[in-house]
């Protein structure tokens, strides 16, 4: 355990976000994305911050590596691709569905035992093909099915009830909350419900970065290291073939990255350097460019990050601008912008 007595919970307040990205069109700032950014050094100290890194916020799916650590500590016997899937926001590809089925089979359970919401696949191309084939939303296709299958198996292994495994008072969720507090170093500020139906813990952006730093820098063989190894080795199982987080992990050696809805991104290196980003308006177009700039701040070779500088803004079908991190974050842009 890292902290037998976590510090007080972050304060619940309107976050004091700052500009983190400019929407540039023809050299004019057409729009501004607000948010917050934190960069931690290998020693865990804050090396750079922008906005409000201490206010309570919901990390959404960026918390899944922490949930996976908690399940391993509770006895879940997964590694490799299936462990990566247990920490995934997957795209709904056939390999993801097959993996979730396999976890359920190992647990002696079926899709009917899942309590996540039925949905279509997350990846647009996979979703379109699914619809063309006349397939309907399912719990397996929903992007959190790997996590839910792993939660069910963890509950069964411990003799805990299954039908109510998503109840915040359930022993499984209490164990997860304890590990979230352990890894972030602070009490959870509030418990709500995520889109998939699982409990969602309000922590700070600083705490999220600290937690992933501890996961990536953990001693080999520990639950933390097992999660990091699984996600890095099977990046497409943790996301999808066309997902930017998988591409980011492939591009930067040793990097563990996890995204979350509403503009959340966290990433960490094996030496403990870590970054975390929250885009205030939840805009996905600003998430990766801001995260890439933060990684450059953390010392990652900018040459490895140019493909993550953001998509071009088009005018008449031609590039006329881009979404660029503000100069305070990225004094030297990763790429040129029209």
């Amino acid at each position: 355990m890292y902290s037998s007595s976590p510090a007080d919970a972050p304060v619940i307040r309107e976050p004091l976000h700052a500009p983190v990205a400019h929407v540039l069109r023809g050299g004019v700032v057409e729009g501004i994305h607000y948010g917050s950014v934190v960069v931690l050094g290998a020693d865990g100290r804050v090396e750079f911050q922008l906005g409000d890194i201490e206010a309570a916020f919901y990390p959404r799916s960026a918390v899944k590596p922490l949930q996976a650590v908690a399940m391993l500590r509770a006895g879940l016997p997964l590694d490799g691709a299936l462990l990566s899937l247990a920490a995934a926001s997957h795209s709904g590809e056939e390999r993801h569905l097959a993996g979730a089925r396999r976890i359920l089979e190992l647990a002696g359970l079926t899709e009917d035992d899942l309590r996540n919401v039925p949905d279509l696949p997350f990846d647009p191309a996979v979703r379109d093909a699914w619809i063309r084939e006349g397939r309907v939303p399912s719990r397996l296709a929903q992007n959190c099915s790997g996590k839910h299958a792993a939660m069910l198996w963890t509950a069964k292994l411990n003799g805990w009830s299954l039908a109510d495994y998503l109840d915040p008072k359930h022993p499984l969720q209490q164990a997860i909350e304890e590990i979230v507090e352990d890894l972030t170093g602070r009490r959870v500020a509030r418990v709500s419900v995520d889109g998939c139906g699982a409990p969602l813990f309000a922590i700070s952006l600083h705490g999220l970065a600290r937690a992933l730093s501890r996961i990536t820098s953990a001693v080999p063989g520990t639950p933390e290291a097992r999660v990091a190894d699984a996600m890095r080795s099977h990046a497409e199982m943790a996301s999808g073939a066309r997902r930017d987080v998988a591409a980011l992990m492939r591009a930067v050696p040793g990097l563990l990255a996890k995204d979350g809805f509403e503009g959340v991104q966290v990433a960490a290196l094996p030496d403990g350097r870590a970054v975390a980003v929250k885009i205030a308006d939840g805009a996905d177009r600003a998430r990766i460019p801001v995260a890439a700039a933060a990684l450059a701040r953390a010392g990652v070779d900018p040459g490895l990050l140019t493909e993550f500088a953001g998509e071009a803004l088009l005018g008449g079908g031609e590039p006329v601008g881009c979404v660029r991190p503000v100069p305070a974050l990225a004094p030297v842009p990763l790429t040129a912008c029209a």
Side-chain angles (χ1 to χ4, degrees):
M1 294 291 188
Y2 292 109
S3 176
S4 59
S5 181
D8 291 341
V11 176
I12 298 173
R13 62 176 181 234
E14 180 178 339
L16 303 174
H17 291 306
V20 294
H22 289 155
V23 181
L24 293 171
R25 182 179 294 271
V28 173
V29 176
E30 183 178 35
I32 301 174
H33 290 292
Y34 283 70
S36 296
V37 181
V38 61
V39 177
L40 302 184
D43 60 0
R45 297 184 182 181
V46 175
E47 292 192 340
F48 177 85
Q49 62 179 303
L50 190 60
D52 194 341
I53 68 170
E54 302 296 353
F57 90 117
Y58 290 122
R60 302 301 297 268
S61 286
V63 80
K64 284 178 178 173
L66 286 65
Q67 293 170 315
V69 168
M71 288 188 276
L72 292 186
R73 289 194 189 180
L76 181 67
L78 284 179
D79 280 295
L82 292 183
L83 177 54
S84 184
L85 184 64
S89 300
H90 66 70
S91 291
E93 299 163 19
E94 288 302 325
R95 60 178 153 184
H96 300 133
L97 276 62
R101 287 193 197 96
R102 181 58 180 156
I103 295 173
L104 291 169
E105 289 170 359
L106 290 168
L109 301 169
T110 70
E111 183 177 356
D112 292 338
D113 294 297
L114 295 171
R115 293 292 180 267
N116 58 317
V117 295
D119 202 356
L120 293 169
F122 180 77
D123 183 277
V126 178
R127 186 190 315 127
D128 289 347
W130 188 282
I131 293 170
R132 285 195 302 271
E133 294 165 5
R135 302 169 77 175
V136 297
S138 77
R139 297 186 193 277
L140 278 179
Q142 197 269 336
N143 75 89
C144 303
S145 63
K147 177 184 78 174
H148 282 255
M151 283 181 170
L152 279 167
W153 194 9
T154 305
K156 186 173 182 180
L157 287 167
N158 285 276
W160 298 329
S161 57
L162 301 184
D164 62 341
Y165 75 94
L166 295 181
D167 188 322
K169 299 301 182 183
H170 190 279
L172 170 66
Q173 303 303 337
Q174 292 285 290
I176 290 173
E177 182 175 354
E178 177 183 343
I179 299 310
V180 168
E181 293 182 337
D182 179 22
L183 290 171
T184 63
R186 299 187 69 176
R187 298 289 183 190
V188 166
R190 181 164 294 174
V191 181
S192 187
V193 182
D194 211 339
C196 66
L200 178 61
F201 307 107
I203 58 176
S204 70
L205 195 67
H206 186 183
L208 178 63
R210 182 187 298 119
L212 208 71
S213 170
R214 288 172 167 174
I215 288 172
T216 58
S217 61
V219 175
T222 59
E224 293 88 338
R226 287 167 59 193
V227 170
D229 290 343
M231 294 180 71
R232 288 184 297 218
S233 298
H234 303 276
E236 288 79 9
M237 284 295 277
S239 52
R242 288 175 286 272
R243 297 279 289 283
D244 52 29
V245 284
L248 191 59
M249 284 192 274
R250 289 192 300 264
V252 181
L255 185 73
L256 175 61
K258 185 69 189 76
D259 55 343
F261 278 156
E262 294 300 320
V264 181
Q265 183 69 54
V266 64
L269 292 154
D271 64 2
R273 287 175 289 159
V275 306
V277 170
K278 164 63 181 175
I279 305 301
D281 61 2
D284 204 51
R285 67 177 179 179
R287 171 181 54 85
I288 279 291
V290 171
L295 285 168
R297 275 270 183 183
V300 173
D301 180 357
L304 301 175
L305 299 168
T306 54
E307 68 175 291
F308 307 102
E311 297 181 4
L313 299 182
L314 302 181
E318 298 296 328
V320 295
C322 66
V323 178
R324 175 184 286 177
V326 296
L329 172 60
V332 180
L334 293 174
T335 61
C337 180

